[in-house]
Amino acid sequence: NLVPKDYAYRDAVGWEWSDPSRFNRLEEVLSSGRAHTMSDMMALQTDHVSLPARTIVPLLKHLGPLSEAAAYALEMLTDWDHRLTPDSGPAAIYVAIERRLQRSVPHVVMSDKAREALGGLPLSMIIDHLVRPGPEFGALCDRCTPLDGRDKMLVDELEASVEGLVDLIGPDLDEWQYGQYKHVSIPHPMTAAVDLETRAKLDVGTLPRGGNSFTVNNSGSGDNQRSGASFRMIVDTSDWDASVGMNAPGQSGDPDSPHYRDLFQRWAQDQFFPVYFSRDKVEAAATGRVMLVPKD
């Protein structure tokens, strides 16, 4: 929300904004009081820390009774660093729970009419309801307090999340990784109109990804990333040749070019490459030259 309350044209702007989790994480890092380096900025742009997880996971720690698998999943979450990295088992569990809570909490605290009109609630409001459950949560079980009802919901969603991941990934929780279902695959706009051989040349993917729509490194809310930054650049104005960037899937739009998808894996792994500025550096790194000559 970037306009002041006395803005003269408030009916000309939208009134739906992103959840504040990413902003809060940026503020947390940037307000540390120390000078930030290029490496710090590279780490921040690809940051996978989930602030919602810092609040939701502690609510789960005292839950019970649980099935053996759910109890082990909860144990995995207890020592987790709240980072949604592709190779993290706890991240796989947490995101599954977070998604289920985004569906279940609005059914408790909103009327059918409100859900139909609004579609749901921001995650920040869902967390507020979980931290301070209202009397409506008491209806989730017989003769129970709002806290009891809240905990019943958390138990149910933890159990259902683990069951769903067992079906999706397999029964060995120690082998679970978030990137087994969080991924990026980029279909070409023409993919449905061509044969399989041509489609294999046009489409790019599939690789595991981290993060979600609530991390600074925004990779969207679905299993397949369809939003977020495909291009980034960090510029060192004291040494322009020290600048870095990332891009996906490549620099060329020609599927026959070796540069059509050669940056995709590096981008999916949140890795930067040098972006040179001076002519000497550019010429030294060049692998080819394209001459555009006008016709007579």
Side-chain angles (χ1 to χ4, degrees):
N1 183 4
L2 300 178
V3 298
K5 292 183 178 179
D6 59 352
Y7 183 62
Y9 307 100
R10 290 177 67 86
D11 58 345
V13 298
W15 295 103
E16 294 185 17
W17 298 282
S18 297
D19 189 272
S21 302
R22 298 175 67 240
F23 164 81
N24 290 339
R25 174 59 178 166
L26 289 168
E27 185 178 48
E28 177 182 79
V29 174
L30 295 177
S31 62
S32 64
R34 67 180 181 84
H36 296 281
T37 65
M38 287 284 289
S39 295
D40 291 331
M41 292 297 97
M42 292 163 69
L44 182 57
Q45 286 202 5
T46 57
D47 188 87
H48 286 145
V49 171
S50 170
L51 292 193
R54 288 185 185 172
T55 302
I56 292 176
V57 170
L59 297 177
L60 306 173
K61 290 183 177 180
H62 67 284
L63 295 179
L66 297 170
S67 67
E68 182 178 351
Y72 189 64
L74 186 54
E75 183 180 335
M76 292 171 63
L77 287 170
T78 299
D79 298 324
W80 179 43
D81 62 3
H82 309 120
R83 295 179 185 273
L84 304 184
T85 55
D87 60 351
S88 171
I93 299 165
Y94 168 75
V95 172
I97 296 170
E98 180 185 88
R99 290 179 179 180
R100 293 190 64 88
L101 290 173
Q102 287 180 277
R103 296 190 295 269
S104 59
V105 171
H107 278 274
V108 175
V109 302
M110 300 174 71
S111 67
D112 293 342
K113 186 175 182 180
R115 287 200 314 276
E116 182 180 350
L118 300 177
L121 291 173
L123 183 58
S124 57
M125 293 187 67
I126 288 173
I127 290 174
D128 287 343
H129 283 292
L130 292 172
V131 172
R132 294 178 292 273
E136 59 272 12
F137 281 87
L140 296 180
C141 49
D142 294 333
R143 299 181 181 180
C144 64
T145 68
L147 285 173
D148 293 333
R150 188 272 314 269
D151 288 350
K152 180 182 184 305
M153 169 183 283
L154 293 175
V155 167
D156 291 344
E157 301 302 7
L158 173 58
E159 293 279 7
S161 297
V162 171
E163 291 176 6
L165 290 176
V166 167
D167 292 339
L168 180 66
I169 300 176
D172 189 348
L173 277 67
D174 290 322
E175 296 296 320
W176 287 0
Q177 294 186 0
Y178 182 40
Q180 289 172 305
Y181 68 87
K182 182 68 176 185
H183 65 280
V184 57
S185 179
I186 307 177
H188 192 278
M190 294 295 293
T191 189
V194 297
D195 58 34
L196 292 179
E197 182 179 355
T198 306
R199 182 177 302 175
K201 292 175 60 176
L202 297 179
D203 293 350
V204 181
T206 301
L207 290 176
R209 286 290 282 160
N212 66 2
S213 56
F214 305 110
T215 57
V216 174
N217 191 358
N218 184 353
S219 59
S221 57
D223 285 353
N224 184 23
Q225 178 176 352
R226 296 187 178 276
S227 62
S230 60
F231 172 82
R232 294 185 176 100
M233 190 172 180
I234 305 174
V235 177
D236 185 343
T237 55
S238 68
D239 181 5
W240 292 90
D241 282 326
S243 302
V244 296
M246 64 170 63
N247 197 8
Q251 288 287 95
S252 173
D254 178 4
D256 291 324
S257 166
H259 303 298
Y260 178 68
R261 67 182 78 223
D262 60 332
L263 299 177
F264 181 62
Q265 183 166 349
R266 183 178 293 272
W267 170 84
Q269 296 173 347
D270 297 321
Q271 297 176 357
F272 291 84
F273 54 77
V275 179
Y276 297 127
F277 178 79
S278 66
R279 178 170 291 277
D280 288 344
K281 285 281 190 179
V282 172
E283 294 284 358
T287 61
R289 189 182 300 269
V290 176
M291 299 293 294
L292 304 178
V293 181
K295 292 182 178 181
D296 294 336

